[in-house]
Amino acid sequence: MLTSSSSLKSRKELDAGLGGAARAWLDEALAEAAHDAAASDAPRSEASSYASPPWELRYAAAGRHCGPEHADSVRSLLLVEAHASLSSVTRLYEQGTAAERRAVLLTLHLLDLGDTALPLVEDALRANDTRLVAAAVGPYAADHLDRHAWRHAVLKCLFTEVPVTAVARLDDRARQDAELARMLTDFAAERTAAGRPVPEDLRTVLALTAPADEGENPARPTAAPAAPAPTEES
């Protein structure tokens, strides 16, 4: 299942869906995360600076205690409550399962990290796991990916058949983007030449790139035109 940041549940929604034991576990996990956030400015011993704080262990166990259907939301709450640092999110991403990586990606825009977590997004976009690709093109990517990288992220979605509805702020960033239009047209021509269908999502994005004077009738992507027939002069 592909998950977007908009599908993350609030604490109130989680409490309504979790059983008593799971709610108690979540209370303890969030308390540990809050404690770590409060102590983040305090000096730590050399040994503790290399040890994972307790809430990070809870992060990995969220699916077992709260159910896989709630794991993304629980992990996201833990990251926010802990005011997770770049080192924490990087460690959780690099050492985590695909589900744990997805939760990191879904939460980046809620953390005060600036553009420092872009390497995690870029790594996810190099993967062929559609769950990671869908999570990587959320609000954080919309805010921080440069134009070149963002265009390639859109193409990655089309290539891996991730619905473009997963791309945050698609309407805004694709609007009247002539270079994206060129890339989409080239991609459509390659698909046509290979005898493969052009994704309908490509046409959706291409319509957004149309110049304002084309109104609502942008040119449809086609294969590359055939070479002109020879003339007497040639």
Side-chain angles (χ1 to χ4, degrees):
M1 181 180 68
L2 302 183
T3 309
S4 68
S5 58
S6 62
S7 65
L8 293 174
K9 301 180 184 71
S10 67
R11 176 62 194 277
K12 182 177 180 180
E13 291 170 326
L14 282 172
D15 282 346
L18 294 174
R23 285 197 304 273
W25 182 91
L26 180 56
D27 285 341
E28 293 174 359
L30 290 174
E32 289 175 355
H35 175 76
D36 190 68
S40 61
D41 294 331
R44 298 188 180 186
S45 67
E46 183 177 349
S48 65
S49 65
Y50 289 97
S52 298
W55 72 266
E56 289 190 19
L57 303 179
R58 299 270 194 175
Y59 181 93
R64 294 196 302 275
H65 289 275
C66 298
E69 70 276 21
H70 300 302
D72 282 337
S73 299
V74 169
R75 289 175 175 137
S76 181
L77 285 177
L78 284 171
L79 290 168
V80 173
E81 192 69 25
H83 300 172
S85 65
L86 179 63
S87 61
S88 286
V89 296
T90 300
R91 179 167 54 248
L92 292 169
Y93 181 88
E94 292 180 345
Q95 298 179 3
T97 63
E100 291 163 28
R101 292 183 173 200
R102 181 178 65 240
V104 167
L105 295 166
L106 292 172
T107 312
L108 289 177
H109 67 293
L110 301 175
L111 305 173
D112 186 19
L113 298 173
D115 63 0
T116 61
L118 274 177
L120 305 184
V121 172
E122 293 163 352
D123 179 82
L125 290 172
R126 288 191 292 268
N128 289 320
D129 187 328
T130 55
R131 296 167 300 172
L132 295 183
V133 174
V137 292
Y140 186 83
D143 290 340
H144 296 291
L145 279 181
D146 63 31
R147 292 171 70 87
H148 176 78
W150 185 84
R151 291 171 183 137
H152 280 278
V154 173
L155 284 178
K156 179 75 174 192
C157 288
L158 295 172
F159 183 77
T160 57
E161 299 183 353
V162 169
V164 295
T165 52
V167 182
R169 289 176 46 207
L170 176 66
D171 290 8
D172 175 42
R173 292 208 58 169
R175 192 168 306 282
Q176 299 181 37
D177 187 334
E179 177 60 16
L180 178 59
R182 182 196 65 76
M183 294 168 68
L184 293 171
T185 302
D186 288 349
F187 180 64
E190 291 172 4
R191 300 273 296 192
T192 302
R196 302 178 67 186
V198 176
E200 190 59 37
D201 270 356
L202 185 146
R203 306 183 196 281
T204 298
V205 181
L206 189 61
L208 295 172
T209 68
D213 58 3
E214 286 192 16
E216 298 182 356
N217 298 297
R220 294 173 68 84
T222 60
T231 64
E232 294 182 2
E233 294 181 358
S234 61

